[in-house]
Amino acid sequence: MIVYAQTQWKEHALGADRWKIIHTLELPNRLFHHFRCNLNEDYDFIAEHAEEMYVDRNRVTRGMLVLCEGSEDGILVNSEGSSYARYSAYLPEARTLMMMDRHPSLAKFCEQMSKLVDEYAKKIAEKQKDGQFRLPWNEVDTLLAPEGFTMQLFTDMLAERPEIADIEETGLEIIFTVAQPYLRQDEPEQSAEQSM
């Protein structure tokens, strides 16, 4: 996973300011990149909301979020009444954060689905036989039905896991092929005569 973050050097502790996003704006790619590299220039889109941006008495920064068309990340801006980004902060995955904040039920769904996929990826790696794990459809139906999860999402998410090399669906089950680094070397079973 690659993320963008501002690194602090030899800081004693890290902290973050609380922001209340009072306005969101999406800029075309070219304009966003110009803005990102020239934060001290005056911009009409900041001037329009300048009076709404400040730090309130509870020390919450009221600002705007500037997004780039086709990108997940954004820039938080507090102009303190100016028409330029007097205070700014890079916000990775801003779109996803906004979506999860707007739709708590979606956030809960994603968290539950992620836990289920993590659990099954671990189970597949641990309980594989000859590099495969077979999951009967009736078990899948029992797993997914109460939460409203979909089979397609479940298998898509498992397919994205590094433990899984391939997924094959048959009429009776789903067959997961375990990726090479996660293959377990099973001890050969001893016959009753050999163990005596």
Side-chain angles (χ1 to χ4, degrees), residues 7 10 18 36 48 51 58 60 80 90 92-93 95-96 103 119 130 138 151 153 185:
T7 307
K10 290 192 173 187
R18 290 180 60 208
R36 187 182 64 147
E48 288 175 34
E51 298 306 315
N58 296 318
V60 175
E80 287 281 333
Y90 187 79
E93 301 297 325
R95 280 185 200 278
T96 301
H103 305 286
E119 177 185 323
D130 298 322
N138 61 351
M151 169 55 67
L153 179 59
Q185 299 299 322

Side-chain angles (χ1 to χ4, degrees), residues 29-39 41 43:
N29 195 301
R30 191 171 172 172
L31 183 54
F32 179 85
H33 289 289
H34 175 84
F35 170 65
R36 187 182 64 147
C37 296
N38 299 280
L39 294 170
E41 288 183 13
Y43 295 94

Side-chain angles (χ1 to χ4, degrees), residues 36-56:
R36 187 182 64 147
C37 296
N38 299 280
L39 294 170
N40 290 328
E41 288 183 13
D42 291 324
Y43 295 94
D44 290 341
F45 63 84
I46 293 177
E48 288 175 34
H49 302 281
E51 298 306 315
E52 303 169 60
M53 293 187 266
Y54 57 91
V55 178
D56 69 19

